[in-house]
Amino acid sequence: MTESMLPTYNDVVAAAERIAGHAHHTPVLTSRIANEQLGAELYFKAENLQRMGAFKFRGGFNALARFDAAQRKAGVVAFSSGNHAQAIALSARLLGIPATIVMPLDAPAAKVAATRGYGATVVTYDRYTEDREQIGRDLAAKHGLTLIPPYDHADVIAGQGTAAKELFEEVGELDYLFAPLGGGGLLSGTALVTRALSPRCKLFGVEPEAGNDGQQSFRSGAIVHIDTPKTIADGAQTQHLGKLTFPIIQRHVDDILTASDAQLIDEMRFVASRMKMIVEPTGCLGLAAARAMQDELRGKKVGIILSGGNVDLPRFAELLS
Ligand SMILES: *Cc1c(COP(=O)(O)O)cnc(C)c1O
């Protein structure tokens, strides 16, 4: 990876201009009870209230807004069963770009319906026998589509960084910041912003305990690949960090922490009952790690990115019961 291929803070600034008026400027929330429990001053960036329900709209829209005329005409292809699919489908509709989304046959019906609802063509595959990346690449080659991956893409990373940019611009510098970690698009974009706007802030990525490839990679200095982890944090069921996200994380992040599914359920309950919001399991990773670090955070100013809120209500009820 050569230095010049990595996105910088200036790319995040350009992304912020590009998505302005299209993405929501989400609120920063506080909770007196959370402050009391942790003995800290907490600021929650509520990306669960972002368009389509997660920060991924930022990166998706930024990437598609950069297409040239030929790319716009031919269309975009993405593979995802989750929030990236909806982010690309909605962004494509807003920009008038045809979208094809490759989803597993057993993807939740609600997610397939939402993606089709945004006007995208859904192509299904068997996740046990077929390789979705190959299907995506074949479609791209055959129809001249541009493939936008969920995290390892400079425009996606720059777009995801705009959430933290808004947070620092609203509350000023922080002592600590916690962001969920899957493939690292959100964390690497957040890292570029943190080092520019709040350089002394300690920045932590948080991933599910069952899938700590990011932590292993960070500590060993090379990208570690794992099998798809079994966790309720479906937005962070990634198998490895990216070729772009990893070097940025390695350079600018203080550490990678983990949270168990039980901790995530406790935080979903806390956020629902005390803050009156539905946050999906993956979105609770940052808060779970902050609570576990309690003593260190006493008296500090702490940011937490609540990354998304897409969870079916029956599933939400099942997890909390
Ligand atoms: C995708 C996603 C993540 C992880 O983001 P990466 O950029 O893959 O690290 C975290 N939370 C939610 C809600 C997501 O959809």
Side-chain angles (χ1 to χ4, degrees), residues 52-56 82-84 150-151 156 160 180-188 234-236 238 241 245 249 280 282-283 285 306-310:
M52 54 63 54
F55 71 90
K56 284 211 173 68
N83 290 332
H84 178 63
Y151 54 87
V156 172
Q160 317 306 31
L181 170 61
L186 178 64
L187 182 60
S188 58
D234 56 341
T238 39
L241 297 179
T245 60
I249 288 169
E280 63 185 275
T282 316
L285 283 163
L306 300 174
S307 55
N310 289 331

Side-chain angles (χ1 to χ4, degrees), residues 99-137:
T100 304
I101 309 291
V102 182
M103 298 181 102
L105 273 169
D106 58 353
K111 290 208 162 141
V112 178
T115 306
R116 285 210 174 100
Y118 291 131
T121 303
V122 173
V123 172
T124 54
Y125 72 101
D126 181 345
R127 74 162 98 212
Y128 302 101
T129 61
E130 294 180 288
D131 176 0
R132 66 176 190 175
E133 300 196 20
Q134 193 56 50
I135 294 172
R137 275 193 297 269

